[in-house]
Amino acid sequence: MQCLRIFSVRVALALWGWCALQASAAVEAPTADGLALYQANCAACHEGKVPRAPHMITFSMLGAEAVLSAMNEGVMRAQASGLTPAERQVLASFLAGAPAEPAAPVVSCQSPLAAVADEDPAAMQGWGGDLRNRRSVAAASTGLTTDNVGALSLKWVFAFPGALRARSQPLVHDDVVFVGSQSGEVYALDLETGCAHWTYSAGAEVRSSLSIGTLPGRENPVVFMGDFSATVHAVDALTGSLVWRSPIGDHPDATITGSLKVHEGKLFVPLSSSEWATAADPGYACCTFQGGVVALDAVSGNLIWRSHVIDTPAAETGQTNPHGAPRKGPAGAPVWNSPTIDAARGVLYVGTGEAYTSPAADTSDAVLAFSLATGERQWSKQLLGGDAWNMACFIGEAANCPEEDGPDLDIGASTILWSDADRDYLLVGQKSGDVYALDPDNGGAVIWHNKVGRGGFSGGVHWGMSANQQSLFVPIADTTFTGRFKGEVFPGVHALDPASGARQWYTPSPGDCEGKPAPECDRGMSAPATSTEDLVFAGSFDGNLNVYDGRSGEMLWQFDTFGRFQSVSGEMAQGGSIEADGPVLYKGHVLVNSGYQFGGRMPGNALMVFAVPAGADLALETTHD
Ligand code: HEC
């Protein structure tokens, strides 16, 4: 059916409308029942065959609205492209176990937000905490020390309505928590009580963390974010009203999942895609996404430059797949980490993922440096060649699986720009479990290399590391989930000397899976860590948030976020795995998201806020670097 492919191509939005009309005209006839639709269209992947695909039981938690939106405008739009709107409705209600209904409301604050300060020296900036992505905050600004951290207790829990995952790392600025969600709602929550000052609807999932900045001529600061449909939004931080929005994808499957950076009036945005999943359709002419980074004018949202990871646009190779679909390439190498800004050298760095087609482009699984001013690529350092993979490799006859068939060992974690008295180092962690220091002055030449994990599907190093002045803290996942990767595993936190790569300590993750679902529960640590001079905060798949002494690796405090918690709105929040984003530290508070159903992990929808009780020894200063 012609409409089939057009449905998954967002470029043809006008045609989409036409197809939708055609389809709805056709469904006056009785629809097949939900189970039959599920078995014919979805079960092949969702019954455990594709590890990333959530199991059917998790759909009831997600709710019909969210299942529907996954099919209409989310990750499943290609998979559901052959279904009529009425069939999708039936399927969504069947999978959710209840008809679609609006998500539960959030609690609005009683009194309006009076102002949001332009500057907040205590705030961690965006995903990486600073432009260098160190994810390290001065103890003086967090007020958290080895002495008082044991007194942390749960202050409030926010339940993201209609969500199976909580993965937009909160941004706390001037006592307001700005956070995105799976449903596409973006919230400004009061740090004291969790009530919502405003809600903004992005229209598609916001996975990244928000960033804040000021614009000339505007009274209030502005929060910036990217969404799953590759649109960047600028929203007034005080009112939640739209300033501008700018679609930046140049491919129908383009997405933004990594957090953007704000620097000198520009936004630097990483581009990823869901074409790796579309490739599972044997009739799809795989693949054409080129990966990239985009620079926008922060005032207008206008494009300043666009640079691709793979320069050569994809073309037909002359071959066809076993289903007769033309093969295209080269493609792939998504960027799903937040760029690292090197202001002194005038460049930014990103890590890239695997290639989608064979042979793998030489910029896949690489670190790339782009000029901040022009976007011109300065250098590329590939850390693993020949890694071509997409979701077709998981299923059936795998018509679009590249011949390399993996191993899929992206550089998904943001690189960290770290300096000692002698020089600068670009610290890189890979899903393979390899950690590198690259030389930013010498084309990314390797200064040191240390393999600290076995690596695998969720890493090795998955989402991020943290570095203070003494140590590089490396969370390692090393799950045994797919059985595809073999060898001894080292899940937990590893501390390395950032200048030499030598190990300082390793604290294995204790694992806490009793009474929790198997195999979703695992002791691996894939979420990014956060540190101060003295402390390391890191969460694990089993739902535990751990705090370590940064010098010894001794565990000082632990909280199990798995389970059901009373939320601010009165609804129960579900805590699950800690994944994809990491702890945020702010004036005696620790914020962490819990719940992540991808990768077969424990779903949930909880944003948890902990605080050191009033009266605890909290020595706050308002300066940090
Ligand atoms: C070719 C394999 C495949 C098929 C067929 C498939 N799915 Fe999925 N599904 C996945 C994967 C993989 C994910 C996780 C996507 C990701 O990691 O981004 C997923 C995720 C989802 C999610 C969660 C979306 C989200 O945003 O969290 C829903 C809901 C879903 N699928 C519903 C369906 C329905 C309904 C069907 C049938 C119409 C279907 N899927 C068919 C592989 C598949």
Side-chain angles (χ1 to χ4, degrees):
M1 176 170 107
Q2 183 58 22
C3 289
L4 207 120
R5 186 99 309 278
I6 290 167
F7 260 105
S8 71
V9 177
R10 219 177 312 112
V11 153
L13 261 184
L15 281 170
W16 190 94
W18 181 81
C19 284
L21 273 176
Q22 294 291 104
S24 55
V27 293
E28 298 302 311
T31 47
D33 77 321
L35 180 61
L37 284 170
Y38 173 72
Q39 279 169 342
N41 298 285
C42 324
C45 297
H46 281 275
E47 297 294 311
K49 203 152 187 192
V50 176
R52 261 180 86 95
H55 194 271
M56 188 178 149
I57 46 171
T58 57
F59 292 135
S60 58
M61 282 193 51
L62 190 56
E65 283 288 337
V67 176
L68 202 54
S69 97
M71 289 190 275
N72 287 342
E73 63 266 338
V75 270
M76 290 293 103
R77 50 186 192 260
Q79 284 72 19
S81 60
L83 301 176
T84 65
E87 285 173 329
R88 292 178 206 188
Q89 191 78 46
V90 170
L91 192 49
S93 302
F94 165 74
L95 292 174
E101 58 182 61
V106 299
V107 174
S108 299
C109 298
Q110 297 292 322
S111 47
L113 196 52
V116 177
D118 284 353
E119 301 286 332
D120 181 353
M124 278 175 63
Q125 289 175 43
W127 191 92
D130 61 21
L131 293 173
R132 295 173 158 230
N133 282 324
R134 287 180 300 180
R135 303 187 59 86
S136 193
V137 197
S141 87
T142 67
L144 296 164
T145 65
T146 46
D147 292 333
N148 70 14
V149 77
L152 278 169
S153 66
L154 193 57
K155 181 164 170 162
W156 52 262
V157 179
F158 180 78
F160 292 102
L164 273 182
R165 54 180 173 270
R167 62 172 285 184
S168 165
Q169 181 178 289
L171 163 77
V172 197
H173 179 102
D174 195 16
D175 293 354
V176 183
V177 181
F178 299 95
V179 66
S181 71
Q182 182 177 350
S183 66
E185 305 294 285
V186 176
Y187 304 96
L189 306 174
D190 186 272
L191 179 65
E192 252 339 278
T193 67
C195 67
H197 289 297
W198 51 255
T199 301
Y200 166 77
S201 295
E205 179 174 6
V206 175
R207 295 185 175 183
S208 58
S209 123
L210 278 62
S211 302
I212 195 162
T214 53
L215 297 182
R218 279 200 76 87
E219 200 179 331
N220 305 323
V222 172
V223 284
F224 302 99
M225 72 209 80
D227 73 22
F228 197 73
S229 73
T231 297
V232 178
H233 306 246
V235 171
D236 187 293
L238 182 67
T239 64
S241 58
L242 180 68
V243 178
W244 54 255
R245 53 193 288 165
S246 178
I248 61 164
D250 61 348
H251 186 281
D253 287 350
T255 68
I256 302 167
T257 61
S259 305
L260 57 78
K261 283 285 193 299
V262 189
H263 177 60
E264 293 187 343
K266 293 191 186 107
L267 309 181
F268 298 98
V269 194
L271 269 182
S272 181
S273 92
S274 56
E275 194 184 31
W276 72 274
T278 307
D281 174 356
Y284 180 70
C286 169
C287 280
T288 55
F289 178 66
Q290 289 176 270
V293 180
V294 163
L296 300 181
D297 179 340
V299 173
S300 63
N302 292 339
L303 186 81
I304 298 175
W305 55 254
R306 172 192 301 279
S307 285
H308 289 118
V309 170
I310 300 174
D311 292 326
T312 322
E316 292 196 5
T317 63
Q319 298 166 323
T320 53
N321 78 12
H323 267 246
R327 288 202 192 282
K328 293 183 175 177
V335 181
W336 45 280
N337 45 119
S338 188
T340 309
I341 307 291
D342 185 342
R345 292 180 182 78
V347 297
L348 66 77
Y349 310 105
V350 290
T352 66
E354 88 286 8
Y356 299 164
T357 57
S358 179
D362 62 6
T363 46
S364 56
D365 296 341
V367 175
L368 307 186
F370 294 100
S371 157
L372 288 170
T374 65
E376 198 183 331
R377 190 191 301 155
Q378 308 296 299
W379 52 260
S380 157
K381 174 71 183 173
Q382 188 172 46
L383 295 174
L384 179 67
D387 180 9
W389 183 88
N390 63 53
M391 193 160 79
C393 302
F394 271 139
I395 58 162
E397 62 186 302
N400 285 325
C401 178
E403 64 192 65
E404 290 87 342
D405 188 7
D408 183 27
L409 293 173
D410 310 46
I411 297 162
S414 286
T415 61
I416 298 176
L417 183 59
W418 187 86
S419 312
D420 61 14
D422 301 329
R423 61 173 307 153
D424 292 347
Y425 305 73
L426 192 58
L427 305 174
V428 182
Q430 192 175 357
K431 272 169 70 175
S432 57
D434 292 278
V435 184
Y436 298 86
L438 305 184
D439 184 348
D441 285 321
N442 188 15
V446 175
I447 301 170
W448 58 255
H449 165 221
N450 189 356
K451 185 169 170 64
V452 301
R454 181 212 53 187
F457 177 64
S458 307
V461 182
H462 200 187
W463 295 98
M465 311 182 293
S466 168
N468 66 16
Q469 216 38 52
Q470 292 78 45
S471 303
L472 171 65
F473 303 107
V474 186
I476 290 289
D478 274 7
T479 78
T480 47
F481 191 55
T482 62
R484 183 183 172 124
F485 295 84
K486 313 274 181 231
E488 197 182 346
V489 295
F490 303 91
V493 178
H494 302 245
L496 307 182
D497 176 348
S500 71
R503 172 173 287 156
Q504 295 168 331
W505 51 260
Y506 163 44
T507 302
S509 171
D512 174 24
C513 286
E514 220 179 292
K516 298 180 187 173
E520 289 85 349
C521 188
D522 186 281
R523 65 194 176 115
M525 303 184 78
S526 123
T530 310
S531 65
T532 68
E533 296 93 322
D534 312 307
L535 299 167
V536 188
F537 297 74
S540 48
F541 287 132
D542 61 24
N544 279 281
L545 174 62
N546 303 335
V547 183
Y548 307 83
D549 182 317
R551 292 193 172 76
S552 67
E554 183 196 347
M555 212 184 290
L556 301 176
W557 182 82
Q558 191 177 46
F559 186 92
D560 190 355
T561 69
F562 174 80
R564 292 176 72 71
F565 296 83
Q566 183 81 42
S567 83
V568 173
S569 70
E571 305 271 318
M572 294 306 278
Q574 176 71 43
S577 293
I578 299 179
E579 245 279 34
D581 70 296
V584 171
L585 315 179
Y586 181 85
K587 291 193 203 162
H589 292 77
V590 180
L591 293 87
V592 76
N593 278 321
S594 176
Y596 187 84
Q597 96 289 11
F598 287 148
R601 292 303 162 211
M602 300 192 295
N605 66 340
L607 165 60
M608 301 199 173
V609 179
F610 302 88
V612 176
D617 181 21
L618 188 63
L620 283 178
E621 288 170 25
T622 48
T623 53
H624 79 119
D625 62 331

